[in-house]
C-alpha cells in the first residue's frame, strides 16, 4: 500500500514538472510574438514595470519547485523502497572424487640386517682338532715337505727347534725336502678358537724319527704349538708352527 501511494506521488510530481515546462514555453512564445502584436507590447511594458522584488520571488519559487521535484524523484528511486531481491543460492559443488588411476604405493619398511647365525664354538674347536690330526697323518704318509706345503698359509712361518725361522710354504718345502730323511708325527692335546671362529690354535706333543750315519734309528721328542687361520672357503691353514725339545714320555712329569 505504501509503495502504491509513493508511486502516485511520483506521478503527480512528474505532471507538475511537465506543466511548469509548458507554461514557461508559452510565456516565451508570448514574448516572441510581442514584436508584432500591440497587445503583446502592452504586456511587455507591464512586465517591465513589475518590481524587482516580484521577479526575484518568482525565481525563488521556481528554484524551490525544482529542488522539491528533484528530492521527490530521488525518493522514488531510493534503493530502500525497492523490493528486496533474494540473492541466488549457492549450489554446493560435489566433493572431488579420488582418481581411479591412483595406485596406493606401500610405504617401504626399513631394512634391518639379518643377525649372523650364532656360532657353535665347541663344534669349531673340534673342527680345528680334526684339521691338526689330518696335518699329522699327511706328514707321516707323504712326508713333512709335502704336508707342510699343503697345510701352510702362503706366507706362514716355521720355527722348528734347532733350525732358523723360515717364512713361506715354498721355502719350507724346499728346506724339509733337503733335510735328513725320516718322518714326523704328533698328537694334539687341546685346541681353542676366537669368538668369531676364524682364528685358533692347537698344541700337543710330537715325535721325530730319523736315521743316523750308521743307519741306526734316532728318535726325538718335542712339544709344539700351531696357530691357525680359517680361509674364506672354511678350511683351516697354519700361519705359525713352532716346536721345542721335550723329554721322553717316561721321563715327563705326570
Amino acid at each position: 500500500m505504501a509503495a502504491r501511494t509513493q508511486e502516485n506521488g511520483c506521478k503527480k510530481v512528474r505532471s507538475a514538472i511537465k506543466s511548469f515546462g509548458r507554461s514557461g514555453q508559452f510565456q516565451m512564445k508570448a514574448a516572441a510574438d510581442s514584436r508584432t502584436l500591440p497587445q503583446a507590447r502592452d504586456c511587455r511594458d507591464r512586465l517591465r514595470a513589475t518590481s524587482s522584488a516580484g521577479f526575484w520571488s518568482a525565481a525563488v519559487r521556481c528554484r524551490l519547485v525544482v529542488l522539491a521535484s528533484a528530492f521527490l524523484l530521488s525518493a522514488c528511486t531510493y534503493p530502500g523502497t525497492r523490493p528486496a531481491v533474494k540473492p541466488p543460492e549457492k549450489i554446493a559443488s560435489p566433493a572431488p572424487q579420488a582418481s581411479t588411476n591412483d595406485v596406493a604405493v606401500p610405504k617401504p619398511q626399513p631394512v634391518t640386517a639379518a643377525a649372523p647365525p650364532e656360532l657353535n664354538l665347541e663344534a669349531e674347536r673340534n673342527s680345528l682338532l680334526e684339521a691338526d690330526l689330518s696335518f699329522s697323518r699327511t706328514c707321516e704318509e707323504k712326508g713333512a715337505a709335502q704336508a707342510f706345503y699343503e697345510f701352510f698359509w702362503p706366507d706362514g712361518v716355521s720355527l722348528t727347534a734347532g733350525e732358523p725361522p723360515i717364512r713361506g710354504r715354498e721355502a719350507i718345502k724346499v728346506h724339509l725336502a733337503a733335510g735328513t730323511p725320516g718322518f714326523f708325527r704328533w698328537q694334539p692335546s687341546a685346541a681353542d678358537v676366537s669368538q668369531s671362529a676364524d682364528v685358533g690354535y692347537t698344541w700337543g706333543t710330537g715325535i721325530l724319527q730319523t736315521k743316523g750315519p750308521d743307519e741306526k734309528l734316532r728318535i726325538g721328542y718335542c712339544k709344539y704349538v700351531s696357530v691357525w687361520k680359517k680361509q674364506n672357503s672354511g678350511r683351516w691353514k697354519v700361519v705359525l708352527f713352532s716346536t721345542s725339545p721335550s723329554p721322553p714320555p717316561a721321563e715327563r712329569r705326570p
Side-chain angles (χ1 to χ4, degrees):
M1 185 66 182
R4 183 178 298 177
T5 303
Q6 188 175 5
E7 183 64 26
N8 294 332
C10 293
K11 291 181 179 180
K12 292 180 180 181
V13 171
R14 294 190 186 97
S15 299
I17 293 173
K18 291 180 179 180
S19 299
F20 180 79
R22 286 195 298 270
S23 62
Q25 292 177 359
F26 175 76
Q27 290 178 1
M28 292 175 63
K29 184 177 180 180
D33 293 339
S34 63
R35 298 179 180 178
T36 56
L37 297 177
Q39 294 85 355
R41 286 196 297 269
D42 293 339
C43 181
R44 184 186 57 189
D45 294 337
R46 285 194 298 271
L47 288 174
R48 288 178 178 177
T50 305
S51 62
S52 59
F55 174 79
W56 285 108
S57 62
V60 170
R61 284 195 302 271
C62 181
R63 180 169 294 182
L64 289 176
V65 171
V66 173
L67 289 176
S69 302
F71 176 77
L72 292 175
L73 288 175
S74 63
C76 293
T77 58
Y78 187 73
T81 60
R82 297 179 179 179
V85 180
K86 186 178 180 180
E89 296 182 358
K90 294 183 178 180
I91 301 175
S93 58
Q97 298 180 355
S99 175
T100 56
N101 295 329
D102 295 340
V103 178
V105 179
K107 184 178 180 180
Q109 299 296 328
V111 179
T112 56
E118 186 176 354
L119 296 174
N120 188 340
L121 298 182
E122 185 63 26
E124 294 293 337
R125 282 190 287 268
N126 293 334
S127 173
L128 183 56
L129 280 172
E130 182 61 32
D132 197 6
L133 283 171
S134 179
F135 184 16
S136 176
R137 287 193 297 266
T138 303
C139 187
E140 189 175 359
E141 295 171 359
K142 296 182 179 181
Q146 184 62 31
F148 273 69
Y149 182 80
E150 291 182 7
F151 281 84
F152 252 65
W153 202 265
D155 58 349
V157 178
S158 175
L159 302 175
T160 306
E163 299 288 346
I166 304 175
R167 178 184 292 275
R169 65 185 181 184
E170 296 285 351
I172 295 172
K173 180 180 180 180
V174 171
H175 174 76
L176 293 176
T180 304
F183 69 90
F184 179 39
R185 70 175 183 271
W186 59 86
Q187 178 66 38
S189 299
D192 202 359
V193 296
S194 63
Q195 291 297 320
S196 57
D198 57 349
V199 176
Y201 69 89
T202 58
W203 68 272
T205 57
I207 181 172
L208 176 62
Q209 297 179 359
T210 60
K211 290 182 178 181
D214 55 358
E215 294 296 327
K216 291 184 178 180
L217 185 64
R218 296 181 179 181
I219 300 176
Y221 298 94
C222 70
K223 50 186 175 291
Y224 77 95
V225 175
S226 296
V227 179
W228 300 74
K229 185 177 180 181
K230 185 183 288 186
Q231 292 180 314
N232 294 333
S233 62
R235 184 178 179 184
W236 292 98
K237 291 286 186 177
V238 178
V239 293
L240 179 66
F241 184 82
S242 177
T243 63
S244 61
S246 179
E251 299 178 6
R252 297 173 189 170
R253 296 179 181 178

